Amino acid sequence: MLSAFLLLGYLCGSVPFGVLLTRWLRGVDVRASGSGNIGATNVTRVAGKKLGAVVLLLDAVKGAVPVGLALHWMPGDSLAHALVGLSAVLGHVYPVWLKLKGGKGVATALGVLCVLVPTAALAGAVIYGLVVAKWRVSSVGSLSAAVVAIVTAFLTARSRDYVLLTAGLFVLMLWTHRSNLQRLARRTEHRL
C-alpha cells in the first residue's frame, strides 16, 4: 500500500499548476518570464497577485491531499506519512510532465506540513509573511520560514519522523534555492 501512496504523492505533486493556469488564463508560459520558475512567486510576477495566490493554494493542496489520505488509510505509520509528503514535494520539484524541471517546493511543503505539523506550517507562514513584507525577497522568506518550521516541528511534532521530514525538506529547499543563494551573495536577487 505504501508504494501506491508514494506514487500518488509524486503524481499529485507533479501537477504543474503554475504552468497550466498561466497558459490557460493568460496565454503565457511562466517558465519563459520572470525567474523562469513555475511556482506562486513567479506566477505573481508574471500574471498578478490573484493568480499567484491561486497557484500557492493549489500547490499547497497537492501536498496536503496525498498526506491526508495516507493518514486516513495508514494511521499510526508516521514514517509512511513523512515519505508520502516527501514524494509530493519531490513531484513538484521534479515533475515528470516537465522533464523533471519544476519549482522550489515551498508551497507543496507548506501543504504537507499543514497536515502533519500544523504548528510548524503556521509558524513558517507567519515568518515568511513578515520577512517578505520587510525585505520583499521571497527566497529569504522561504528559507527563514523553513528554519522556523524545523524548530517548531522539533518542539511540537507528534513524531520524530515528522521532524526529520521537516529537516529534509529544508535541505531540499537549500538545493532548489541554490541559484537564489548565489544571487543573494551577489546582491542581485529578484524582489517582489
Side-chain angles (χ1 to χ4, degrees):
M1 185 183 303
L2 176 58
S3 58
F5 275 100
L6 292 175
L7 180 60
L8 174 67
Y10 175 81
L11 292 175
C12 284
S14 70
V15 177
F17 287 114
V19 173
L20 295 173
L21 292 178
T22 54
R23 184 175 294 157
W24 291 341
L25 300 176
R26 298 290 191 271
V28 298
D29 186 345
V30 70
R31 297 169 295 176
S33 302
S35 68
N37 193 274
I38 69 168
T41 300
N42 198 44
V43 170
T44 299
R45 285 188 194 105
V46 172
K49 290 181 182 178
K50 288 181 182 177
L51 194 54
V54 170
V55 170
L56 173 67
L57 177 63
L58 291 173
D59 281 352
V61 167
K62 72 185 187 182
V65 166
V67 172
L69 291 172
L71 273 170
H72 177 76
W73 290 102
M74 296 182 287
D77 192 346
S78 59
L79 178 59
H81 309 153
L83 291 173
V84 171
L86 179 61
S87 70
V89 177
L90 288 172
H92 179 79
V93 175
Y94 302 107
V96 66
W97 324 112
L98 301 178
K99 299 179 182 176
L100 306 182
K101 295 179 182 174
K104 310 272 185 194
V106 176
T108 307
L110 174 66
V112 168
L113 292 181
C114 280
V115 175
L116 297 180
V117 195
T119 53
L122 178 61
V126 168
I127 291 300
Y128 176 86
L130 292 172
V131 169
V132 170
K134 173 77 174 168
W135 287 288
R136 312 292 299 167
V137 180
S138 183
S139 59
V140 174
S142 297
L143 295 173
S144 300
V147 170
V148 169
I150 292 170
V151 173
T152 307
F154 181 77
L155 296 173
T156 66
R158 297 178 315 224
S159 166
R160 179 179 53 108
D161 294 320
Y162 299 167
V163 177
L164 292 173
L165 170 67
T166 309
L169 292 176
F170 174 67
V171 171
L172 180 61
M173 283 183 212
L174 287 175
W175 172 253
T176 62
H177 282 83
R178 61 195 182 281
S179 60
N180 302 83
L181 292 169
Q182 291 169 353
R183 286 192 299 271
L184 284 166
R186 294 192 305 263
R187 299 185 181 190
T188 59
E189 176 63 312
H190 306 288
R191 292 185 172 271
L192 289 175

